[in-house]
Amino acid sequence: MGEEDDIDDHTQRRISKVWPSGPFPAGRFSPGHQQGISDHMCGICGFLGVGAGFNEEMLHRMNARIVRRGPDGAGHYFDSRVGLAMRRLAIIDLGGGQQPIFNEDKSACVVFNGEIYNYREVRRQLQAKGHRFSTDSDTEVIVHLYDEYGADLPRYLEGMFAFALWDLRRQTLLLARDRLGIKPLYIARLPQGVLFGSEMKSLLETGLVPNDIDLQAVDEYLTYTNIPCPRTIYRAITQLEPGTTLTVQTDGTATATQYWSVPEVSEESRSEAEWILACETNLRAAVESHLVSDVPVGAFLSGGVDSGLLVALMADILGRPVETFTVGFQGAGSAFIDERTYARALVERYGLSHHEIDTTPNFEEIVWDIVEAFDQPFADDSVIPSYYVSKAASQHVKVAMTGLGGDELFGGYRRHLGLQLGEYYARIPSLLRRGLIEPLIRQLPDSRNSSDTIDHLKRFIRSAGQPAELRYQDSMATLAWEQRRKLFTPDVTSAIDSRMTSNIITSAFGSNADGSVLERALRTDLRTYLLDDILTLTDRLSMWHSLELRVPFLDHRFVELAGRIPANLKIRGSIQKYLLKKIAERWLPRDMIYHKKQGFEAPMGRWLRGPLLPFFDSIVNASTLANIGLFNTEEILRLRNEHIAGRQKNNKVLFSVLMFCLWHQRANHPTPVTA
């Protein structure tokens, strides 16, 4: 660590006047110290508490556990009751702005993870008010905004962030998370204090956090293949929700305040041409703001509309070749569309500096990295291509753009189209639906390749006739409760509230009953699937490879604009993301825009019948399941055999059980809780 300095005497004297009971203990401040280091995309951790374990040595251990989030350096602040620490990845202000950063009179300091895209504008406004800056860092605007606006400061930030700010005068800790939850922040409230960190591994490293499993979280995980915020697999650890601040007092009192939420559906009347202009103008502005960096910015290029449009805009704004990265798999199966052909067309049009990752994935080789990266069970099988593309990109750039968010804003998933089709399907006479169509679909054999078409048809008719919120929840769920309950032992089943699990989707869907079914679904996705699955996956696997990913579609101003676009401009007939595709016609080859959507996923169904089956059987077996003590072994093995025989496609639940078993093994067998 760098040279440590006590808080200066002037600050101590001034604070003692504010707090007559006497000066606070002198804190030790160790900023990042290596040459060429920034204070931005990184990881943070720390605590506010007293008693055994709450010391500087524990702070260093917490910080060392997240070294992959920022291998370029470290910094920390510690006094007798508070510790703040961070790891750094050099992005902006490479020679200055080491963290923690103080305000002018050293009465507040902050550690920060993320990027503030409007920091130069905010800085100018604060300088006009008399603030004096000592760095060109975006982090420094946080402490100056705090002097002006207190805990309301996140309202003035545009970007992705999680930060911890210690107010030495008031002896309060302010924690905050960005509006969409792009950056994570985990919290454990213990009798002796509060722990926080960008990843749970920092909190668990302390040895102070009970490792009891939250059984409700297990059910939610097996339902959605992730654990929805604010819950985690551990009863003692929660996530700070997006768009929220948490103010913690020294006595442990904590006050949460929501400063932003996904806007209610409020469609605005403009012509199609006006919407195209407004949407393109605002997306271009978001891309331009996200290009702020003192190192080159690359991009993931999947061959689809979202990433293709971002890359085209980047190339136009920068006026030079953009480094792009595309992954493709060998032996993926006939139903797995290789989109590299479309990516190559864009490479030729814009003269991109392109990298193709042509790999035969070896899951056994990377699986322990994935388990370690997430700290809890996570089973979206797109972790596999995401791991490889993040690894490849990190060897060339430190920052990359991604088109995440386009599907959630403009209706890009098949379930969005299915939800609308369900409205029309309900008008077909019941006798025809139940007597002919649905029995025929139920008898269809599942595809033995990577296609999900039959599975989607069966899901569609399974929930037909139910209210829209229940149909949408069913489309998101791996298994319905009637099937899912068979996965657990009787004791576990009795401890689970299945309504609470389904309400994660149905409550979000029903919160704006005046909107169309599509708009309600999109808003639900922003609050659930995007946050709990896509952004979690993106953060963990990119930061595992010390790579910063930026998501211009999730610029909150663009999100707010997209929420006002009428639903019939998002899905028109069978054309999904209609408005976005109309914008893309100016920038992309037509066949890149209108080809069949693949999605960034692995052909897991096929792998579990073939190359991955021996590994699955070595992990998910009667001995392992009995040791965990939560699952009905016979039912899980029945699902395995059914999948292998091709009678039913069970890859999602089987992969979820596999990842749970792997996590349980790595986590040293956490204690099951049955009450």
Side-chain angles (χ1 to χ4, degrees):
M1 307 302 293
E3 184 177 345
E4 297 181 345
D5 298 304
D6 287 346
I7 295 178
D8 62 78
D9 291 339
H10 169 74
T11 303
Q12 289 286 1
R13 288 194 300 271
R14 185 185 53 72
I15 294 174
S16 67
K17 293 179 181 178
V18 177
W19 294 84
S21 58
F24 300 122
R28 286 187 288 279
F29 169 51
S30 175
H33 57 282
Q34 299 180 26
Q35 184 177 3
I37 289 174
S38 162
D39 59 315
H40 302 78
M41 183 53 58
C42 58
I44 63 172
C45 61
F47 55 78
L48 174 60
V50 294
F54 282 79
N55 52 47
E56 197 167 9
E57 187 272 334
M58 184 178 82
L59 183 64
H60 290 317
R61 284 193 289 110
M62 293 176 71
N63 207 23
R65 287 291 283 122
I66 53 173
V67 64
R68 282 181 173 269
R69 297 189 72 92
D72 293 330
H76 81 281
Y77 169 83
F78 174 77
D79 72 16
S80 61
R81 66 180 68 189
V82 66
L84 310 178
M86 57 82 63
R87 300 290 322 184
R88 289 195 303 266
L89 182 67
I91 305 294
I92 295 175
D93 189 15
L94 302 184
Q98 293 86 351
Q99 289 186 39
I101 284 185
F102 286 82
N103 57 354
E104 291 153 292
D105 61 9
K106 296 187 178 179
S107 63
C109 67
V110 69
V111 289
F112 165 70
N113 170 29
E115 299 287 351
I116 306 302
Y117 301 124
N118 67 332
Y119 81 97
R120 291 192 175 101
E121 175 188 349
V122 172
R123 176 190 173 101
R124 287 192 295 269
Q125 293 170 352
L126 290 167
Q127 287 173 326
K129 292 175 178 287
H131 290 261
R132 299 187 308 277
F133 284 74
S134 58
T135 74
D136 190 33
S137 157
D138 59 346
T139 305
E140 192 176 2
V141 303
I142 295 174
V143 285
H144 290 280
L145 281 170
Y146 183 75
D147 285 341
E148 286 288 329
Y149 305 110
D152 280 340
L153 78 90
R155 299 178 188 274
Y156 300 88
L157 302 176
E158 296 172 5
M160 54 181 184
F161 55 84
F163 67 77
L165 185 149
W166 174 240
D167 185 326
L168 284 79
R169 279 193 298 247
R170 297 180 178 86
Q171 294 282 278
T172 58
L173 177 68
L174 176 65
L175 304 174
R177 192 176 182 193
D178 67 67
R179 293 168 178 83
L180 276 302
I182 302 169
K183 292 290 103 185
L185 193 58
Y186 293 93
I187 298 168
R189 297 181 64 183
L190 307 174
Q192 63 269 52
V194 174
L195 304 170
F196 66 87
S198 297
E199 297 183 13
M200 285 190 286
K201 54 177 59 70
S202 282
L203 282 60
L204 296 168
E205 178 65 25
T206 67
L208 302 176
V209 181
N211 67 349
D212 298 345
I213 293 175
D214 184 338
L215 294 184
Q216 189 66 36
V218 177
D219 185 54
E220 293 174 8
Y221 164 71
L222 288 177
T223 305
Y224 302 116
T225 71
N226 60 67
I227 299 175
C229 179
R231 203 180 293 278
T232 75
I233 194 65
Y234 299 102
R235 297 180 76 193
I237 301 177
T238 60
Q239 295 186 63
L240 184 63
E241 298 205 53
T244 301
T245 61
L246 186 71
T247 303
V248 187
Q249 312 292 335
T250 53
D251 64 1
T253 304
T255 303
T257 303
Q258 187 177 50
Y259 66 87
W260 189 89
S261 62
V262 176
E264 299 290 328
V265 175
S266 178
E267 293 186 356
E268 190 174 310
S269 179
R270 303 189 197 184
S271 69
E272 180 177 314
E274 288 173 329
W275 274 120
I276 289 174
L277 177 61
C279 194
E280 181 175 343
T281 300
N282 280 268
L283 181 58
R284 183 185 180 91
V287 172
E288 190 163 10
S289 72
H290 282 57
L291 285 170
V292 58
S293 175
D294 291 334
V295 298
V297 179
F300 288 0
L301 182 58
S302 69
V305 174
D306 303 342
S307 63
L309 185 54
L310 289 188
V311 167
L313 290 170
M314 288 174 66
D316 190 61
I317 292 166
L318 293 171
R320 57 174 170 77
V322 177
E323 286 208 75
T324 53
F325 306 88
T326 302
V327 66
F329 290 118
Q330 294 290 331
S334 60
F336 188 79
I337 300 170
D338 191 339
E339 295 191 327
R340 285 176 291 181
T341 300
Y342 305 106
R344 289 167 191 155
L346 205 65
V347 170
E348 185 175 345
R349 175 178 287 201
Y350 291 103
L352 306 176
S353 176
H354 190 56
H355 306 269
E356 285 191 2
I357 303 97
D358 187 7
T359 182
T360 301
N362 185 337
F363 181 71
E364 296 177 50
E365 185 178 68
I366 67 174
V367 64
W368 291 114
D369 280 358
I370 293 171
V371 172
E372 179 72 15
F374 284 90
D375 296 328
Q376 64 178 352
F378 186 89
D380 182 336
D381 60 18
S382 62
V383 293
I384 299 168
S386 296
Y387 179 96
Y388 282 110
V389 74
S390 293
K391 179 180 179 180
S394 69
Q395 295 168 5
H396 299 271
V397 295
K398 285 189 174 182
V399 185
M401 298 276 202
T402 173
L404 299 179
D407 288 321
E408 289 80 6
L409 293 177
F410 292 93
Y413 295 122
R414 283 175 287 189
R415 63 177 179 266
H416 297 148
L417 187 59
L419 186 66
Q420 289 198 313
L421 291 175
E423 299 289 287
Y424 298 105
Y425 181 75
R427 300 174 190 174
I428 297 174
S430 175
L431 185 62
L432 183 59
R433 284 190 284 115
R434 297 178 181 175
L436 179 62
I437 299 174
E438 294 171 12
L440 284 174
I441 291 176
R442 289 192 190 100
Q443 292 175 21
L444 291 173
D446 281 308
S447 170
R448 293 189 63 84
N449 58 26
S450 304
S451 175
D452 284 326
T453 302
I454 302 300
D455 184 60
H456 282 228
L457 280 172
K458 290 181 177 180
R459 282 177 176 274
F460 181 84
I461 60 107
R462 183 176 74 192
S463 60
Q466 295 187 42
E469 61 268 25
L470 293 178
R471 285 191 282 122
Y472 201 63
Q473 193 277 333
D474 188 73
S475 74
M476 300 290 287
T478 300
L479 293 173
W481 173 242
E482 291 73 21
Q483 299 167 289
R484 208 167 64 245
R485 65 184 300 158
K486 299 175 186 177
L487 299 174
F488 302 114
T489 66
D491 285 346
V492 172
T493 300
S494 65
I496 292 170
D497 184 345
S498 63
R499 291 170 299 179
M500 187 179 295
T501 300
S502 62
N503 283 348
I504 290 167
I505 301 299
T506 58
S507 294
F509 193 98
S511 64
N512 191 358
D514 294 333
S516 69
V517 291
L518 176 61
E519 290 299 342
R520 293 159 70 188
L522 298 182
R523 192 171 186 272
T524 300
D525 283 356
L526 289 172
R527 294 172 58 182
T528 57
Y529 177 72
L530 177 76
L531 169 67
D532 302 319
D533 189 303
I534 301 298
L535 290 177
T536 300
L537 180 154
T538 300
D539 177 81
R540 299 309 183 278
L541 293 182
S542 62
M543 295 313 300
W544 181 259
H545 292 101
S546 305
L547 174 72
E548 173 186 325
L549 287 186
R550 297 182 178 180
V551 281
F553 277 109
L554 298 184
D555 179 292
H556 78 272
R557 297 161 302 177
F558 188 74
V559 170
E560 291 168 351
L561 175 73
R564 300 195 297 272
I565 299 172
N568 65 3
L569 291 178
K570 295 179 178 177
I571 296 182
R572 176 163 292 183
S574 62
I575 301 177
Q576 298 183 255
K577 298 195 287 192
Y578 171 81
L579 188 73
L580 204 61
K581 289 177 178 178
K582 296 302 290 185
I583 295 169
E585 287 179 358
R586 176 184 167 193
W587 298 95
L588 307 179
R590 187 172 179 83
D591 59 351
M592 185 177 186
I593 300 170
Y594 292 104
H595 75 274
K596 180 181 177 182
K597 176 182 173 64
Q598 164 60 37
F600 202 43
E601 58 188 21
M604 186 54 63
R606 183 174 180 272
W607 288 346
L608 282 170
R609 291 189 183 101
L612 194 54
L613 182 59
F615 179 72
F616 178 90
D617 288 342
S618 72
I619 301 297
V620 183
N621 51 53
S623 175
T624 300
L625 295 173
N627 179 58
I628 293 173
L630 301 177
F631 300 117
N632 176 356
T633 301
E634 290 183 3
E635 177 64 12
I636 289 173
L637 296 182
R638 186 191 71 78
L639 292 176
R640 170 214 180 265
N641 295 335
E642 188 177 64
H643 180 81
I644 293 171
R647 295 191 299 271
Q648 180 70 39
K649 194 170 185 181
N650 296 321
N651 56 287
K652 286 187 180 293
V653 66
L654 293 175
F655 189 62
S656 297
V657 173
L658 172 62
M659 296 304 289
F660 188 97
C661 292
L662 291 166
W663 165 79
H664 192 271
Q665 181 176 332
R666 175 56 59 92
N668 297 318
H669 309 299
T671 307
V673 175
T674 57

